[in-house]
Amino acid sequence: MCGIVALTGHPDAVEKVLTGLSRLEYRGYDSAGIAAQDAAGHITVRKAVGKLQALRDTLADTPLDHSNIEHSTIRTTIGHTRWATHGTPTTANAHPHQGRLGGPQVTVVHNGIIENYKHLREQLEAQGATFHSATDTEVIPFILSQQLVTHTPLEAIRHAAHTFHGNYAIAALVEGMPDTVLATRKGAPLCLGLGEGWYAVASDPLALAGLTTRFIFLEDGDCALLTPTAFTLHNGEGQPVTRPVQVLDLDDDLSGKQGFRHFMLKEIHEQPAVVAKLIETYTTPDGTLALPFNLSNVTGINIVACGTASYAGAIGKYLLEEHVGVPVNVDIASEFRYRNPPLAEGGLFIAVSQSGETADTLAALEHAKAHGQTCLVLTNAPNSSMARAAHHVLPLLAGREIAVASTKAFTAMVLAFTLLALELGTDAPAPHLAELRKLPQLLNNQLAALKPIKNLADTVTDAHSMLFLGRGVLAPLAYEGALKMKEISYIHAEGYASGEMKHGPIALVDATLPVVNLATGADGLFEKTLSNLREVEARHGRVILITDTAGAAQLDDATKRGLTLITVPDAPKLLTPILFTLPLQLLAYFTATAKGTDVDQPRNLAKSVTVE
Ligand code: M6R
């Protein structure tokens, strides 16, 4: 989603901000812009629709030093990548936005949503402000300009922020205040990057990788004023505060498709290594678990997440209920946060999030924490807002996931739930861990035999719709298979528990509908799956069966002839969800590449959804 990068005091501020924005590109955006300030405090803005290259082209066509600005004196720049929420992706709606009302002209970039912007805009228009965009953001510079008339810059941004409802991270430049960046946040993440002779602001420390390793994460309500030589930090009450400096060793290398055509394919292939790393880190060679926290007397669990993470959570429910024997609820975060569900004293709340920044999941976590729950987060971003808010963190150790469609983080989530179920359960973990250790090799074997899935993908590219069905722990995996397919191939797809098919979805079945069934031959329910397949066949639907060798062995020749069969290796029950994941990811990937979609940055999607 939107990204903010700002620098003050850096001799190469424009280029460094553009590079910082490119580090956030993978999150998804539809326009970009920068504002540069010269030594006299003059500010010039450049914006463009589309990828960052379009902004670079605009800068080449209309260089900053052709306007009222001396390029050589630019040491202060704010930049933004925008993912449209209010107003279509146009140059006018791209950030930065500028406004002046009573005070100096203010230039801002903003992540999040100002929910009361309509009301504020009406008020500002009545006072003489003229708006040039359809965005919620544009109210910010006018209000900050007004506040600067009677307040110091830090007080002005604090007072301005108090008028906003919603979530925001803001960086601002003020005309006539050279080499000064103002910043504040609530709900949306923002950190300071500490340099030598310069300071930076970014919505994600990753934007500053290669520039600094020292960061300060702002807390809700914090306001910052940065110059090249100092920064001042106030909390939401206007009191000076200090926040801890965190040293992060960020991976500077963004090149890395490592010979793969897409990041998604690379990340699919990284899964054996991710699984091996998780097992190695969180278990001991003598067969015990080594999770980085102690949880005891768990009587009930709420799992909350969005999208793919919620399906990992739903698989977690099956694993936890079976091994721990306590009731487990799974909720979509956007529903949980407003439903006010009863939360039993001492309950365990588990947030699941690759990014650790998803707005709804973060809000749900804060709600649970405020209601006395012990909060654990399973996240791939151990420095994220969720990691800081939770009592306990289980890092997913999957390495940075660039493709918008989550693959290796999902697998890491499912494995993390498996380890958690063994940790909280009463079974001796050693035999289970011995089984889990076979996973990397089994996944590698699967990756060595991609041909049948690629062939299958070539046959579904014309489908307008697909069904994904599964039973037990494979039901939520069917939902995930459908999500992956629609995210990157744009084929409409629905996931259902197999038993639900007769209750409605069967009406969709005709000769054009591929129906992907997930079934293991080892759970005693394979006969029921076969009945489901026959029901589809009888209506001329296209049956695709993903099963293990034990399942395949239960098919007679006639049945085999009527369907497309993809087999996964026979394996202990605990390994089933992960082994069935790989064919679904690959089917979506090969379908998307056959259709020629933008696999790594599919249309309309953002990697980290930091607004509701
Ligand atoms: O960062 P999170 O795991 O909290 O993100 C949640 C969802 O937005 C995410 O899983 C989304 O569904 C992905 N695009 C899935 O591929």
Side-chain angles (χ1 to χ4, degrees):
M1 268 194 160
C2 301
I4 290 177
V5 188
L7 260 176
T8 181
H10 201 290
D12 198 14
V14 174
E15 187 49 43
K16 294 298 178 206
V17 164
L18 289 171
T19 306
L21 292 176
S22 70
R23 293 188 193 288
L24 305 183
E25 261 193 307
Y26 74 98
R27 294 168 164 242
Y29 68 105
D30 40 51
S31 57
I34 62 164
Q37 190 182 42
D38 69 10
H42 296 130
I43 294 160
T44 302
V45 171
R46 296 283 184 267
K47 314 197 248 191
V49 174
K51 299 286 179 190
L52 274 173
Q53 189 53 47
L55 177 61
R56 285 188 180 275
D57 293 346
T58 301
L59 284 164
D61 290 346
T62 51
L64 292 164
D65 52 356
H66 277 197
S67 61
N68 66 342
I69 202 157
E70 257 304 312
H71 195 262
S72 56
T73 69
I74 297 170
R75 298 195 308 158
T76 299
T77 302
I78 58 177
H80 191 258
T81 44
R82 172 177 188 254
W83 186 86
T85 59
H86 295 63
T88 51
T90 60
T91 310
N93 289 334
H95 301 206
H97 289 284
Q98 296 187 293
R100 176 203 304 274
L101 198 57
Q105 187 197 54
V106 172
T107 306
V108 303
V109 292
H110 159 228
N111 289 357
I113 292 178
I114 307 295
E115 289 171 352
N116 57 337
Y117 81 101
K118 271 198 177 141
H119 170 68
L120 294 173
R121 184 168 169 149
E122 279 162 18
Q123 281 185 342
L124 293 162
E125 280 172 335
Q127 294 165 45
T130 304
F131 283 79
H132 301 283
S133 79
T135 65
D136 53 331
T137 300
E138 205 180 351
V139 299
I140 301 171
F142 289 112
I143 292 175
L144 185 49
S145 174
Q146 282 184 318
Q147 294 294 335
L148 281 160
V149 177
T150 47
H151 294 104
T152 62
L154 264 178
E155 275 299 278
I157 195 163
R158 190 173 76 83
H159 280 276
H162 283 177
T163 64
F164 307 144
H165 300 167
N167 285 356
Y168 47 81
I170 297 166
L173 299 178
V174 180
E175 190 187 26
M177 278 177 57
D179 287 343
T180 305
V181 174
L182 289 170
T184 188
R185 67 151 288 206
K186 194 191 114 210
L190 203 63
C191 67
L192 307 186
L194 314 184
E196 301 287 330
W198 58 263
Y199 286 103
V201 178
S203 51
D204 183 332
L206 179 64
L208 305 175
L211 270 182
T212 185
T213 54
R214 300 191 313 133
F215 298 91
I216 289 177
F217 290 90
L218 299 191
E219 295 193 1
D220 271 354
D222 281 357
C223 297
L225 184 148
L226 298 87
T227 68
T229 51
F231 67 89
T232 316
L233 207 52
H234 285 181
N235 64 15
E237 282 72 54
Q239 306 300 319
V241 280
T242 52
R243 304 282 181 221
V245 176
Q246 297 195 26
V247 177
L248 306 179
D249 195 11
L250 296 163
D251 177 7
D252 190 19
D253 178 18
L254 278 191
S255 57
K257 283 189 199 154
Q258 290 165 11
F260 289 97
R261 187 168 160 203
H262 295 100
F263 280 109
M264 182 176 175
L265 190 59
K266 169 179 166 262
E267 287 156 8
I268 288 172
H269 279 79
E270 283 170 352
Q271 292 176 113
V274 169
V275 163
K277 185 169 181 184
L278 267 171
I279 296 171
E280 188 194 320
T281 309
Y282 296 135
T283 68
T284 64
D286 57 353
T288 59
L289 284 140
L291 299 184
F293 46 76
N294 265 321
L295 294 169
S296 49
N297 303 324
V298 173
T299 51
I301 301 175
N302 278 289
I303 299 173
V304 173
C306 299
T308 283
S310 76
Y311 300 141
I315 292 173
K317 172 185 164 82
Y318 281 86
L319 297 168
L320 288 162
E321 285 186 346
E322 179 169 346
H323 290 271
V324 191
V326 298
V328 181
N329 295 316
V330 184
D331 243 309
I332 292 166
S334 54
E335 289 301 313
F336 177 89
R337 66 182 290 189
Y338 293 116
R339 212 181 61 238
N340 209 9
L343 295 170
E345 193 61 39
L348 175 62
F349 176 93
I350 305 178
V352 194
S353 175
Q354 184 279 131
S355 64
E357 300 293 352
T358 302
D360 285 315
T361 311
L362 178 60
L365 167 61
E366 275 158 0
H367 175 88
K369 197 172 159 191
H371 286 76
Q373 303 296 288
T374 299
C375 294
L376 164 67
V377 62
L378 272 50
T379 182
N380 201 31
N383 301 302
S384 58
S385 302
M386 278 183 225
R388 289 195 299 278
H391 301 108
H392 306 291
V393 182
L394 187 54
L396 295 171
L397 309 177
R400 193 187 312 152
E401 193 178 64
I402 300 282
V404 165
S406 186
T407 53
K408 61 177 180 172
F410 172 78
T411 295
M413 288 167 187
V414 173
L415 182 56
F417 273 115
T418 311
L419 296 173
L420 189 64
L422 296 177
E423 163 85 2
L424 299 179
T426 48
D427 295 4
H432 294 300
L433 296 181
E435 288 169 354
L436 283 178
R437 289 201 174 89
K438 295 178 189 149
L439 250 180
Q441 188 53 50
L442 289 169
L443 290 172
N444 272 323
N445 296 348
Q446 279 183 293
L447 285 167
L450 303 181
K451 197 92 181 94
I453 301 176
K454 195 164 179 333
N455 293 343
L456 170 61
D458 288 337
T459 69
V460 300
T461 47
D462 290 338
H464 292 294
S465 191
M466 292 180 74
L467 273 185
F468 288 74
L469 306 175
R471 273 177 196 279
V473 78
L474 295 180
L477 195 60
Y479 312 156
E480 167 61 4
L483 179 70
K484 213 88 299 169
M485 182 59 78
K486 69 184 122 187
E487 277 188 301
I488 59 168
S489 76
Y490 313 149
I491 294 174
H492 170 254
E494 295 291 339
Y496 275 96
S498 302
E500 277 291 291
M501 200 187 56
K502 282 197 279 293
H503 300 284
I506 198 165
L508 298 173
V509 175
D510 64 16
T512 69
L513 186 84
V515 182
V516 180
N517 297 265
L518 312 177
T520 163
D523 65 359
L525 299 172
F526 195 73
E527 266 305 320
K528 295 187 193 303
T529 296
L530 284 183
S531 306
N532 294 143
L533 300 189
R534 290 192 180 111
E535 287 154 10
V536 174
E537 239 174 18
R539 286 155 186 87
H540 310 291
R542 262 204 65 198
V543 179
I544 296 157
L545 176 63
I546 302 180
T547 187
D548 43 24
T549 332
Q554 296 175 52
L555 299 172
D556 56 43
D557 287 346
T559 311
K560 268 190 200 159
R561 276 195 297 275
L563 52 73
T564 307
L565 183 65
I566 301 288
T567 44
V568 303
D570 276 339
K573 194 174 171 189
L574 216 48
L575 280 52
T576 303
I578 293 179
L579 290 176
F580 276 74
T581 297
L582 212 50
L584 294 175
Q585 295 171 342
L586 290 164
L587 181 59
Y589 174 78
F590 287 127
T591 306
T593 48
K595 292 191 74 176
T597 59
D598 187 350
V599 170
D600 284 336
Q601 289 183 22
R603 68 184 181 202
N604 304 337
L605 293 180
K607 183 70 182 160
S608 169
V609 182
T610 48
V611 295
E612 283 188 56

